[in-house]
């Protein structure tokens, strides 16, 4: 048995009564053992930064199940979106013949734009910008 130090612990009479009623539930043979277990649990909780370690198994299982359902749903929606996008791009490619250099340039511009806007693209703003560029590239000079 390790060396232990005695110190005063002040509790309300109600808290002491609760401890006496419940200290055997976790297998403790004394109030001191129960209090040490409680302190260790709380210190581990503070150190862990992972509340999942302390969730009841039923709650953890429920959360895992819901997250699994969400993952499957999002994956399914992303797959459907990719199919629709591929279909639209394929139809466009059949109608419009573009050279590889132009496509590489547009790809680089798109990557830069998505990074800059953090993925928040709006068709209206892009159409307005394209219209402004067309209006500026008049080709006719007075």
């Amino acid at each position: 048995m390790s060396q232990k130090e005695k110190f005063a612990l002040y509790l309300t009479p109600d808290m002491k009564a609760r401890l006496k009623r419940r200290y055997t539930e976790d297998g403790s043979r004394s109030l001191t053992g129960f209090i040490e277990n409680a302190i260790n649990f709380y210190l581990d909780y503070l150190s862990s930064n992972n509340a999942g370690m302390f969730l009841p198994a039923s709650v953890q299982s429920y959360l895992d199940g819901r997250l699994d359902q969400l993952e499957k749903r999002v994956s399914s929606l992303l797959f459907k979106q990719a199919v629709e996008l591929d279909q639209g791009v394929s139809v466009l490619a059949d109608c419009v013949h573009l050279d590889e250099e132009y496509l590489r340039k547009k790809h680089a511009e798109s990557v830069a734009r998505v990074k800059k806007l953090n993925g928040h693209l709006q068709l209206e703003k892009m159409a307005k910008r394209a219209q402004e560029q067309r209006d500026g590239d008049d080709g006719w000079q007075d």
Side-chain angles (χ1 to χ4, degrees), residues 1-2 4-5 7 9 19-20 22-42:
M1 188 167 133
S2 63
K4 294 189 177 188
E5 292 185 25
F7 72 97
L9 173 67
L19 284 173
K20 283 185 177 183
R22 305 202 55 191
Y23 79 92
T24 57
E25 289 178 7
D26 76 337
S28 297
R29 296 189 307 202
S30 67
L31 285 175
T32 300
F34 182 77
I35 292 169
E36 282 181 346
N37 288 341
I39 291 170
N40 283 331
F41 175 84
Y42 188 67

Side-chain angles (χ1 to χ4, degrees), residues 23-90:
Y23 79 92
T24 57
E25 289 178 7
D26 76 337
S28 297
R29 296 189 307 202
S30 67
L31 285 175
T32 300
F34 182 77
I35 292 169
E36 282 181 346
N37 288 341
I39 291 170
N40 283 331
F41 175 84
Y42 188 67
L43 292 174
D44 288 345
Y45 171 77
L46 291 175
S47 298
S48 75
N49 291 328
N50 179 5
M53 198 170 135
F54 298 94
L55 290 174
S58 60
V59 174
Q60 187 69 43
S61 176
Y62 173 78
L63 291 175
D64 288 344
R66 294 298 291 176
L67 287 173
D68 188 47
Q69 288 176 351
L70 176 65
E71 179 185 2
K72 287 178 181 173
R73 178 77 175 136
V74 169
S75 296
S76 174
L77 289 172
L78 285 172
F79 178 79
K80 289 176 182 179
Q81 184 179 17
V83 169
E84 291 297 317
L85 181 62
D86 180 71
Q87 182 180 2
V89 169
S90 295

Side-chain angles (χ1 to χ4, degrees), residues 86-140:
D86 180 71
Q87 182 180 2
V89 169
S90 295
V91 169
L92 180 64
D94 288 344
C95 296
V96 180
H97 303 287
L98 304 170
D99 64 8
E100 288 185 41
E101 181 58 33
Y102 177 80
L103 292 174
R104 272 195 293 275
K105 178 184 168 197
K106 284 298 176 185
H107 177 76
E109 288 174 4
S110 293
V111 168
R113 188 170 32 253
V114 169
K115 283 182 180 179
K116 178 182 174 189
L117 299 174
N118 198 22
H120 296 282
L121 303 174
Q122 291 182 341
L123 181 60
E124 294 84 5
K125 288 182 181 178
M126 294 174 73
K128 183 179 178 182
R129 184 172 39 244
Q131 182 63 44
E132 289 171 354
Q133 286 177 347
R134 283 191 298 271
D135 291 345
D137 293 341
D138 216 355
W140 295 98

